[in-house]
Amino acid sequence: MQKNIIIYIPVYTEENSSFPKPVIGIYNYWLHVVDYYLRKSDCVEIHCWNEETTTIEEIKSQFYPEIEIRKEGNLTIFYGKKTAAFVHYLCNRYTNKARELKWFTVNLLKEEGIVFHSSHWGTEIFVPNVIEKEISFIKSVSPKDAQMEIY
């Protein structure tokens, strides 16, 4: 039987910041789950706040014109087919100089349907239609204090 899972990673914020950082200080959990679900996806969608100009320019310079770029309100959204270059970027260049996850939202899609959703800079994760084996895997790589809802 398939279920859905939501994972909330314990976070903290530094003084004068609203950026949520994982209490454990690293994003290994995120990288493991992204790597797993990249194998099941065919497209990638990244959302950045418009003021995150460094990240936006980085993505544009590496992937435009192969990706679609659109603005929706305060967000810049990138959408493109999963390529070896996109996979390398997601799995190897996922933090900025402050060692924070670069992207507000990352969606991995298969035939336009969500197979993985990461939001709030990797501190909230939603994975639909998982089987028990995948739930066990996600639990095994998540921080021990992560809160999970399975339904």
Side-chain angles (χ1 to χ4, degrees):
M1 184 168 119
Q2 293 185 333
K3 298 180 180 180
N4 300 315
I5 186 168
I6 301 173
I7 304 112
Y8 301 99
I9 306 300
V11 297
Y12 74 97
T13 54
E14 294 178 345
E15 191 174 323
N16 299 319
S17 174
S18 61
F19 190 95
K21 293 185 177 185
V23 170
I24 60 171
I26 55 176
Y27 294 92
N28 286 358
Y29 66 91
W30 186 88
L31 186 57
H32 288 299
V33 180
V34 164
D35 181 58
Y36 181 87
Y37 284 98
L38 272 166
R39 291 180 231 149
K40 296 180 171 227
S41 66
D42 58 12
C43 293
V44 177
E45 183 178 77
I46 296 174
H47 299 198
C48 297
W49 292 109
N50 291 339
E51 62 265 15
E52 296 174 307
T53 55
T54 302
T55 300
I56 291 168
E57 289 307 313
E58 177 183 87
I59 296 170
K60 282 181 181 179
S61 70
Q62 290 186 35
F63 300 105
Y64 187 76
E66 292 85 27
I67 59 170
E68 174 187 323
I69 303 170
R70 66 182 190 273
K71 297 221 182 227
E72 289 185 12
N74 294 327
L75 291 173
T76 299
I77 299 170
F78 300 93
Y79 176 84
K81 295 286 183 196
K82 179 181 78 174
T83 63
F86 229 142
V87 169
H88 183 268
Y89 178 69
L90 286 173
C91 293
N92 294 287
R93 304 209 33 226
Y94 54 94
T95 59
N96 60 23
K97 289 181 183 179
R99 300 183 67 144
E100 303 162 336
L101 197 74
K102 290 181 182 180
W103 317 291
F104 182 73
T105 300
V106 173
N107 293 318
L108 303 179
L109 304 110
K110 175 79 173 183
E111 299 171 0
E112 300 297 318
I114 297 274
V115 295
F116 169 87
H117 169 81
S118 164
S119 62
H120 294 90
W121 297 282
T123 62
E124 294 180 16
I125 296 171
F126 169 72
V127 186
N129 307 314
V130 292
I131 57 175
E132 287 301 323
K133 177 181 169 186
E134 292 170 313
I135 292 170
S136 294
F137 165 72
I138 292 167
K139 285 181 177 180
S140 76
V141 298
S142 294
K144 64 178 176 150
D145 295 338
Q147 295 179 2
M148 295 186 191
E149 293 181 29
I150 301 168
Y151 59 96

